[in-house]
Amino acid sequence: MQLEIIEQSWPIAGVFRISRGSRTETKVIQVKLTHGTAVGRGECVPYARYDETLASVRQQIEDIRPAVEAGLSREQLLQMLPAGAARNAVDCALWDLECKRSDQSIWQLLGVAPKALTTAYTLSLDAPEKMQQKALEHKLRPLFKLKLAGAGDLERVQAVREGAPNARIIIDANEGWTKTIYQQLVPELVKLGVEMIEQPLPQADDHLLAELEHPIALCADESCHDRKDLSKLQGRYEMINIKIDKTGGLTEALALKQAAVESGFGIMVGCMVGTSLAMAPAFVLAQDVKIVDLDGPLLLAKDQSEGFNYTVQSQMQPMTAKLWG
Ligand SMILES: [Mg+2]
């Protein structure tokens, strides 16, 4: 087995802006595993919020190169690397390679019948009128996810609601609120029909959520990486956002999903800003979940060949095996 680590930069269409900052490109690492004529690929997005850089993630993968090239299993990989981007790229490449070598699709391997999915469409943090304009440009999309930050958020949601009276709206504060902002905003957001709030408070303040009213479902993102986080989210969140870059691959993500459902959490499947190669394993995970948020490629100026074709109504058909799986 041969392991290749490929760094890539993909331009974002315009600017991607959240409470923590803005970006005009996304930097990813693609892992390619070659065994005979079979090639398996996986992509990850190193994420600064979780103390990851391209260099640190590359080093983590380099460190396990001998084991990977000797043919380690996905189960062994779980013991060798922690949850995070590096393990994700290797795990997804191992799944893809397993499909290619056995001449089976990921759906055949897992015994799942694939269905088309409708993804949320992200509106970057911006002035209220700019966010409304974006919503108008995308008026056929049924579900918007608004990136928020604290000050001015009510005006942002009001503006988008005015521009898209029939759309479903979810919001993501990316840890940008305080308890006071939460208490002021939430009753107003109920009136505006907001369906879900992702990560309102910093992860360190999660305990405060247990004392607050939850008329709108709260979804843990920065606070939920893998199965070991689940118990401390009880009573604080109603949903969790599973991303393969946080779980460290599809293997742990599938296990987290099952454990979370058994514990009564609603499931959202999200993504970092990555290409269709990173969306494909998440598309498998996102079958039958409440909220699908896999619009990474829609935010890019350019995507993989063989990438997902998103309709103007945000529908995604199952990927081809040429892309992944
Ligand atoms: Mg989020």
Side-chain angles (χ1 to χ4, degrees):
M1 182 115 79
Q2 234 193 342
L3 166 75
E4 265 180 276
I5 306 169
I6 305 154
E7 289 179 19
Q8 295 176 334
S9 174
W10 296 83
I12 289 172
V15 182
F16 181 71
R17 193 179 300 110
I18 70 169
S19 63
R20 281 188 289 270
S22 63
R23 280 180 294 146
T24 55
E25 61 175 356
T26 190
K27 290 182 172 163
V28 310
I29 287 182
Q30 188 185 117
V31 163
K32 202 187 256 189
L33 297 175
T34 306
H35 188 282
T37 56
V39 178
R41 298 189 301 159
E43 177 187 294
C44 70
V45 184
Y47 203 56
R49 168 66 179 81
Y50 306 134
D51 301 320
E52 292 172 339
T53 62
L54 279 181
S56 74
V57 169
R58 173 187 272 276
Q59 190 57 50
Q60 280 183 294
I61 301 170
E62 277 298 349
D63 289 345
I64 61 161
R65 176 188 289 277
V68 174
E69 294 188 334
L72 100 168
S73 67
R74 288 184 288 102
E75 289 68 29
Q76 289 166 329
L77 175 64
L78 288 177
Q79 308 307 318
M80 293 195 75
L81 284 182
R87 192 173 77 190
N88 178 33
V90 178
D91 179 76
C92 290
L94 285 171
W95 275 106
D96 192 27
L97 187 66
E98 197 175 329
C99 293
K100 280 9 182 224
R101 288 185 66 189
S102 64
D103 207 19
Q104 287 192 300
S105 70
I106 187 74
W107 309 107
Q108 288 170 305
L109 278 188
L110 294 172
V112 174
K115 289 188 292 252
L117 300 174
T118 299
T119 178
Y121 181 77
T122 302
L123 302 178
S124 269
L125 177 68
D126 212 329
E129 60 276 15
K130 294 266 181 60
M131 292 177 77
Q132 183 181 66
Q133 184 55 38
K134 266 276 186 230
L136 284 168
E137 283 168 28
H138 293 269
K139 61 174 187 281
L140 296 179
R141 301 199 184 279
L143 175 61
F144 290 112
K145 166 164 151 171
L146 281 55
K147 289 293 194 181
L148 299 181
D153 281 352
L154 181 58
E155 291 73 20
R156 292 186 177 98
V157 181
Q158 282 170 335
V160 171
R161 175 49 82 210
E162 210 180 291
N166 301 314
R168 296 170 59 204
I169 292 178
I170 57 178
I171 63 175
D172 186 0
N174 285 109
E175 310 182 285
W177 290 2
T178 61
K179 185 177 169 182
T180 308
I181 294 177
Y182 180 99
Q183 287 169 315
Q184 288 167 349
L185 275 182
V186 167
E188 301 305 318
L189 299 178
V190 170
K191 292 180 212 161
L192 290 163
V194 171
E195 285 183 27
M196 192 198 78
I197 302 172
E198 218 182 304
Q199 197 73 37
L201 305 186
Q203 182 253 328
D205 292 343
D206 271 351
H207 59 282
L208 299 174
L209 295 172
E211 309 155 12
L212 293 163
E213 301 282 330
H214 295 204
I216 301 172
L218 299 189
C219 181
D221 183 4
E222 283 85 343
S223 294
C224 181
H225 291 246
D226 59 9
R227 279 174 286 175
K228 70 176 168 16
D229 295 324
L230 267 188
S231 61
K232 57 180 186 271
L233 303 176
Q234 292 281 5
R236 299 173 174 183
Y237 292 93
E238 287 71 44
M239 295 183 65
I240 63 164
N241 184 348
I242 308 178
K243 296 178 182 170
I244 55 175
D245 272 310
K246 291 186 297 173
T247 60
L250 180 60
T251 305
E252 170 61 22
L254 290 168
L256 171 61
K257 181 183 176 184
Q258 191 186 338
V261 169
E262 284 165 7
S263 302
F265 289 100
I267 308 294
M268 168 177 190
V269 170
C271 63
M272 305 302 185
V273 182
T275 75
S276 282
L277 181 56
M279 302 306 120
F283 185 90
V284 175
L285 186 67
Q287 298 288 310
D288 303 311
V289 305
K290 263 189 192 152
I291 303 274
V292 178
D293 183 23
L294 297 178
D295 65 343
L298 272 177
L299 309 178
L300 296 177
K302 215 172 95 190
D303 188 18
Q304 306 275 349
S305 56
E306 307 294 335
F308 285 98
N309 286 313
Y310 295 82
T311 69
V312 289
Q313 291 97 357
S314 303
Q315 204 185 64
M316 308 165 73
Q317 294 296 329
M319 64 281 182
T320 65
K322 275 186 185 162
L323 175 66
W324 186 87

